[in-house]
Amino acid sequence: MSDTLKKRTLNALVWSFIDKCGQQLLYFISGIILANLLTPEDYGKIGVLTLFITLSGILVDSGFGSALIRKKKATETDYSTIFFFNLAISVFFYLVLFFAAPLIADFFEIPSLTLIARILFISIIFQGFGLIQQVRLTKHIAFTHLARINIIAILAGSTVAIVYAYRGGGVWALVMQQLLITLLRTILLWIYGHWYPTAVFSPKSIREFLAYSSHLIGTGVLNAVYNNIYPMLIGKGYSTASVGFYTQAHRFQEIPSSLVATIFRSVAFPVLSTINDEPERMIRIFGKYIRTISFFIFPVMALFIVIAEPLVLVLLSEKWATVIPYLQRLCIAGAFSPFIILYYDLFNTIGRSDINLKTEIVKKILLTVGIFFCFGKGIIALIWLWVAYTLASLAASMWLGQRFTSYRAARFIRDIVPCLLLSAIAAAIAWWVFLSCTSLLSRLIVPLLVFSVVYLLGTYSARVEIWKEFFKWKAERNK
């Protein structure tokens, strides 16, 4: 990796880390406060609507954001054309969902959902206004600005939501939180982006990007539907409170999983896209990303499995105890999902977004069959199905990576095994300590400390690569 690209990547990773850590920390803190002020039913009402917002976001972007990032010399005409396209699509989908809101409420047998949905879905239009500004900042690796934008928006929106929940706002506190965060983020993107569209719309630009983005749309839609289908299934087949429990477990698991995935994804795609004409160099850097992800994701997820019970009971109280077994199982899937996402971006980088679409179609057909057999067997059975699906998806990504790039499956296994094995050893020792603790607080703190010491000493003794990079970086700073 050249010094210039290495410095840009390191700077981008640092600011992306600050951005994503700041976001997750704020969501984590505000989530704990709101969970103690609200009920599982409140979270369940928002949970069943998540699919519609996520799906609309995918369709509004239409894959053109990634296409613009990938294109080395995007023009002002390209940016303006996609901006107006995104805006028009966002208004269209809001109107569709506005009139569909009563049907959604009837489907879940929650009459109050009509008004909640109509207000919450306004965030789709806010998102449409800010997509191109975000694309431009990402393309130019301006993660300093993105960090400030996201942290300010989440801090302000969550603070207002907490105050409103404290005053008895109920589910509307969650609606207000999402609307304000999306609105403030869009306003700040315009302020920091220093870009404004011109009155131009080029069908040629749309056609140019469509061949690439059409596969992204298909893949994105499939992922949006199936990644958010569980809250809908649980809401229809079980209860609104059950949706709230599942949603809370998923959010806890998603904090480390999403944090690691989004940090590297936000940096990996633009960086790898700049060197996609140098296959060997690209794969070398991709392998480094895999090893770094494994260093962080495996220990965090293993630790969450060990301390799930005291973590939930201390932070969320006894009323959320149902979350514990859901969280422990979801963490198994969460430990491997960031690698699937990184493979997804690798295929996009080499211009083979069609691989992702074809693979997702097959995987989703198999998942649908699994859901058919597991739906009536309880929520735990559905979660175990998701774990199996995640592991199978990773195996498919490894095979495809070996087929279409020089990154072999055996190399992937060698890259992740050291941290995976050391995490398992640390978890076993921490679990033994956990069983000997008596008080709730000691069962949270003592295993955490023991796990951290064992894992850090183990990876240092094994000379895991990230320690070498750390000491090299420290030596350069001290010069």
Side-chain angles (χ1 to χ4, degrees):
M1 190 184 300
S2 68
D3 289 341
T4 301
L5 183 60
K6 191 170 184 178
K7 288 178 180 177
R8 289 180 67 197
T9 302
L10 181 59
N11 183 65
L13 278 171
V14 169
W15 277 104
S16 183
F17 180 79
I18 293 171
D19 178 15
K20 306 311 177 187
C21 276
Q23 287 189 59
Q24 294 296 343
L25 181 62
L26 290 172
Y27 275 129
F28 181 66
I29 294 171
S30 62
I32 291 171
I33 298 171
L34 288 169
N36 282 280
L37 294 172
L38 304 175
T39 65
E41 287 79 5
D42 292 329
Y43 277 91
K45 290 175 183 177
I46 300 300
V48 297
L49 297 176
T50 302
L51 171 61
F52 301 101
I53 295 175
T54 306
L55 184 59
S56 297
I58 297 293
L59 294 172
V60 168
D61 176 68
S62 298
F64 291 141
S66 294
L68 282 167
I69 292 173
R70 187 173 178 272
K71 185 176 180 180
K72 287 185 170 22
K73 295 181 180 179
T75 66
E76 286 300 312
T77 298
D78 292 332
Y79 286 121
S80 294
T81 298
I82 303 305
F83 170 81
F84 289 118
F85 177 85
N86 288 343
L87 187 57
I89 295 297
S90 68
V91 173
F92 171 77
F93 278 108
Y94 174 72
L95 292 175
V96 169
L97 291 172
F98 179 90
F99 291 109
L103 299 177
I104 297 171
D106 289 343
F107 179 80
F108 290 107
E109 300 177 359
I110 308 173
S112 61
L113 211 57
T114 299
L115 183 58
I116 293 171
R118 285 175 168 172
I119 300 299
L120 184 63
F121 291 155
I122 295 174
S123 62
I124 296 169
I125 298 177
F126 294 159
Q127 182 184 1
F129 268 102
L131 279 172
I132 292 302
Q133 284 76 3
Q134 181 168 328
V135 165
R136 286 176 59 86
L137 289 173
T138 302
K139 185 177 179 70
H140 295 96
I141 316 184
F143 291 101
T144 306
H145 293 331
L146 289 171
R148 291 170 181 163
I149 289 167
N150 290 323
I151 290 172
I152 291 171
I154 295 171
L155 180 61
S158 297
T159 300
V160 173
I162 290 169
V163 172
Y164 196 66
Y166 181 76
R167 294 184 175 181
V171 68
W172 289 103
L174 297 175
V175 174
M176 185 176 293
Q177 181 187 35
Q178 186 153 335
L179 279 177
L180 284 176
I181 289 173
T182 310
L183 175 61
L184 290 172
R185 181 182 283 135
T186 299
I187 292 172
L188 291 169
L189 281 168
W190 278 76
I191 293 172
Y192 279 94
H194 302 296
W195 178 85
Y196 303 96
T198 55
V200 60
F201 186 89
S202 171
K204 182 181 177 182
S205 292
I206 297 291
R207 288 194 298 271
E208 177 187 351
F209 292 130
L210 197 58
Y212 174 81
S213 67
S214 60
H215 297 119
L216 296 183
I217 298 171
T219 305
V221 168
L222 284 172
N223 282 329
V225 170
Y226 282 88
N227 287 347
N228 294 281
I229 199 170
Y230 273 24
M232 289 192 66
L233 291 173
I234 295 169
K236 184 62 179 176
Y238 296 90
S239 67
T240 307
S242 295
V243 179
F245 291 130
Y246 175 83
T247 301
Q248 200 65 259
H250 187 266
R251 286 184 178 181
F252 259 82
Q253 171 270 140
E254 200 176 30
I255 290 171
S257 180
S258 176
L259 176 62
V260 171
T262 52
I263 285 174
F264 283 90
R265 190 176 194 187
S266 61
V267 175
F269 185 61
V271 169
L272 293 176
S273 294
T274 63
I275 54 172
N276 58 10
D277 53 352
E278 302 176 61
E280 291 184 9
R281 185 182 177 199
M282 182 182 68
I283 292 303
R284 187 171 65 253
I285 295 172
F286 180 79
K288 186 180 287 288
Y289 288 154
I290 292 290
R291 292 190 294 276
T292 307
I293 288 174
S294 70
F295 179 85
F296 291 105
I297 194 64
F298 288 140
V300 174
M301 286 304 185
L303 181 60
F304 264 42
I305 293 172
V306 173
I307 64 171
E309 180 185 352
L311 184 69
V312 170
L313 296 180
V314 169
L315 297 180
L316 300 183
S317 77
E318 187 70 34
K319 71 179 179 181
W320 291 97
T322 306
V323 165
I324 297 167
Y326 298 174
L327 174 60
Q328 289 173 319
R329 289 155 180 80
L330 285 172
C331 281
I332 301 173
F336 295 95
S337 59
F339 301 110
I340 301 170
I341 294 171
L342 200 60
Y343 267 111
Y344 174 91
D345 282 336
L346 175 64
F347 299 138
N348 288 340
T349 299
I350 63 175
R352 294 301 306 270
S353 56
D354 60 304
I355 295 173
N356 292 320
L357 177 58
K358 294 171 185 176
T359 307
E360 289 303 321
I361 290 173
V362 175
K363 291 193 303 186
K364 265 49 178 186
I365 291 173
L366 295 175
L367 180 59
T368 302
V369 174
I371 290 173
F372 177 79
F373 284 105
C374 293
F375 183 68
K377 301 183 184 300
I379 298 173
I380 292 292
L382 286 171
I383 293 175
W384 276 122
L385 172 65
W386 187 259
V387 172
Y389 165 77
T390 301
L391 295 175
S393 297
L394 179 58
S397 296
M398 291 163 56
W399 180 76
L400 290 166
Q402 178 172 280
R403 183 177 178 186
F404 293 100
T405 73
S406 60
Y407 190 73
R408 317 301 292 176
R411 183 174 173 181
F412 172 81
I413 293 172
R414 285 198 306 270
D415 284 339
I416 69 167
V417 160
C419 292
L420 177 61
L421 183 60
L422 289 167
S423 296
I425 293 170
I429 295 172
W431 180 254
W432 177 74
V433 173
F434 173 88
L435 294 176
S436 64
C437 295
T438 54
S439 70
L440 191 61
L441 203 57
S442 67
R443 297 181 93 182
L444 175 63
I445 297 173
V446 177
L448 189 154
L449 294 175
V450 170
F451 183 99
S452 301
V453 170
V454 172
Y455 180 75
L456 292 175
L457 286 177
T459 52
Y460 179 77
S461 301
R463 305 191 179 204
V464 171
E465 182 184 23
I466 198 166
W467 282 109
K468 300 175 185 176
E469 294 287 339
F470 171 75
F471 287 118
K472 182 179 178 182
W473 170 79
K474 188 175 180 181
E476 289 176 353
R477 283 182 60 89
N478 292 334
K479 286 182 180 179

